[in-house]
Amino acid sequence: MKVLVINAGSSSLKYQLMDPETGKVFAKGLCERIGLDGKFTYKPQVEGKETIKAADVAMPTHSEAIQTVLNALVDPQNGVISSMKEIDAVGHRVVHGGETFASSVLINDEVLKAVEDCTPLAPLHNPANIIGIEACRKALGDDVPQVAVFDTAFHQTMPEHAYLYSIPYKYYENDKLRRYGFHGTSHRYVTLRAAELLGKDPKDLKIVSCHLGNGSSLAAVDGGKCVDTSMGLTPLAGLPMGTRAGDMDVGVIEYVVNKYDRSISSVMEGLNKRSGMMGLSGVSSDFRDLEAAAAKGHHRSAIALRIFEYRVHKMIAEYAAAMNGVDVVIFTAGVGENAPSTRAHILEGLEFMGITCDEEKNNTRGEERIISKDGAPVTVMVIPTNEELMIAQDTLSIVEENKNK
């Protein structure tokens, strides 16, 4: 089976064509600056086929972007399939499913309407996801099944005491304001993969999953189910990130609005796009740049990294407490997979919980590996995330399930 995985952003679209049963990727790439001066990248993973990088591609909307992707996939010279009929299904990453969706679903008009109803909870993301779905429908026709895989779905197992905010209850009743969490597809993939690598049943493990990148979140996964996560109603909550502030006293917003005569919207934009590592360091949102600057004695870069590491360090202990224990700690995503020093600093001092870091084992980037000391009571692992494979596997499962109905 060949599944086209689509991750549509407001002005971008990532894609992969893959076999969910083997994990084989046939082609992948990216459409950027949709609606502007479109940029297109196509990377066939088949011998003898050439990578295409093109600028100024006419992509005024996501419909043209999808068509550009399909044209590349069937291109006589560098394509990896002979016709669009070889695409058996499409799996879409959808950011917000609210309380409506606790698992992936086959897309129909009713599902699309429910995704649209969640737009107030994710105004930047859900509209782009809907456009991507409709563009695929238009290009491939209604006969090709499409599946929605939600970032929020994995976290729908959280208990009330973990997801409710301590604000007047009417805001939950009327507006569904609560903690939802994101990165769910990544957290689900790495926790299942950890269990597989350890030869354990997920139901027998208490796992703290650390998805650390430009966007970062932790999840407490007890017996295969999420019981807490650090992002909230929006991805702004939790850890400080590349450009996001993370958790803070909301009184800061009122102070800045009043003193500097700013609108709430402009302050929120700053908290999302000019805070976190960028705001603290004044150098960059990229952790690699901060490490380089800190090595040259740049104090603000060093303290930005320290704040990030300190917050992750504390949260690992917090989530172990939420589960009354921990068996496995996982590092994943760009920083989690590729920053040995950051991992070491985060883990330092957690030995009292049985959490250790072996210096030699930790000297690894981008590969599956146990980095805790031999015989340690808690297994610490690096597991590269693969959200696309998780989306493709969900798509296969949902399509097969609906075939049998």
Side-chain angles (χ1 to χ4, degrees), residues 9-319:
S10 57
S11 62
S12 66
L13 186 147
K14 296 178 185 176
Y15 67 91
Q16 284 194 18
L17 183 68
M18 66 192 317
D19 183 338
E21 294 177 289
T22 64
K24 177 178 172 58
V25 177
F26 300 101
K28 60 183 179 180
L30 175 66
C31 300
E32 297 177 276
R33 297 176 65 81
I34 297 170
L36 300 169
D37 54 342
K39 297 183 185 299
F40 176 67
T41 304
Y42 169 74
K43 296 180 178 179
Q45 308 295 293
V46 177
E47 192 174 344
K49 306 291 184 179
E50 293 184 5
T51 294
I52 299 169
K53 291 185 179 180
D56 296 319
V57 179
M59 293 187 287
T61 72
H62 285 70
S63 293
E64 289 82 8
I66 293 286
Q67 195 59 57
T68 302
V69 171
L70 296 174
N71 291 344
L73 292 173
V74 299
D75 179 75
Q77 187 172 348
N78 291 306
V80 294
I81 54 176
S82 58
S83 79
M84 292 184 197
K85 290 181 180 178
E86 288 189 49
I87 299 174
D88 298 295
V90 183
H92 294 268
R93 175 196 179 224
V94 179
V95 168
H96 219 305
E99 290 189 329
T100 307
F101 300 105
S103 61
S104 304
V105 294
L106 190 70
I107 296 170
N108 55 29
D109 290 339
E110 186 181 346
V111 167
L112 262 182
K113 175 63 169 60
V115 171
E116 189 175 348
D117 289 343
C118 291
T119 293
L121 299 172
L124 297 178
H125 296 91
N126 274 31
N129 300 151
I130 293 168
I131 291 169
I133 292 166
E134 290 177 336
C136 283
R137 268 185 168 181
K138 182 179 177 182
L140 295 170
D142 292 332
D143 291 339
V144 177
Q146 300 194 58
V147 171
V149 180
F150 298 92
D151 269 10
T152 50
F154 182 62
H155 304 303
Q156 282 296 300
T157 51
M158 285 190 291
E160 278 187 311
H161 65 259
Y163 71 69
L164 283 177
Y165 290 130
S166 49
I167 58 178
Y169 195 73
K170 65 181 180 181
Y171 294 118
Y172 172 65
E173 287 183 306
N174 298 336
D175 304 299
K176 298 304 177 189
L177 299 187
R178 49 158 285 183
R179 181 181 305 280
Y180 286 100
F182 300 89
H183 296 142
T185 306
S186 174
H187 288 302
R188 183 157 65 101
Y189 172 79
V190 297
T191 52
L192 290 173
R193 181 64 179 152
E196 183 181 355
L197 290 170
L198 296 171
K200 303 273 190 178
D201 189 320
K203 292 178 181 177
D204 297 329
L205 294 173
K206 298 176 186 289
I207 300 175
V208 177
S209 172
C210 307
H211 179 109
L212 308 180
N214 193 49
S216 296
S217 69
L218 265 63
V221 184
D222 192 353
K225 294 182 178 181
C226 177
V227 296
D228 208 345
T229 192
S230 59
M231 284 181 167
L233 174 73
T234 74
L236 180 57
L239 299 166
M241 306 173 219
T243 64
R244 296 179 194 140
D247 287 346
M248 50 170 268
D249 182 347
V250 294
V252 169
I253 298 172
E254 182 184 36
Y255 180 92
V256 174
V257 165
N258 290 339
K259 181 169 182 179
Y260 296 98
D261 194 25
R262 299 267 301 279
S263 68
I264 290 176
S265 294
S266 72
V267 175
M268 292 302 295
E269 183 188 31
L271 293 176
N272 271 293
K273 297 183 178 180
R274 295 187 296 279
S275 298
M277 300 297 100
M278 171 61 84
L280 283 165
S281 71
V283 170
S284 175
S285 61
D286 191 306
F287 284 73
R288 292 167 295 187
D289 294 340
L290 300 189
E291 285 186 358
K296 294 177 181 178
H298 190 265
H299 174 72
R300 283 174 55 184
S301 295
I303 198 63
L305 289 169
R306 181 69 188 109
I307 289 168
F308 177 80
E309 292 158 358
Y310 174 65
R311 293 278 291 278
V312 179
H313 173 91
K314 283 202 304 179
M315 197 170 283
I316 290 172
E318 178 185 340
Y319 282 4

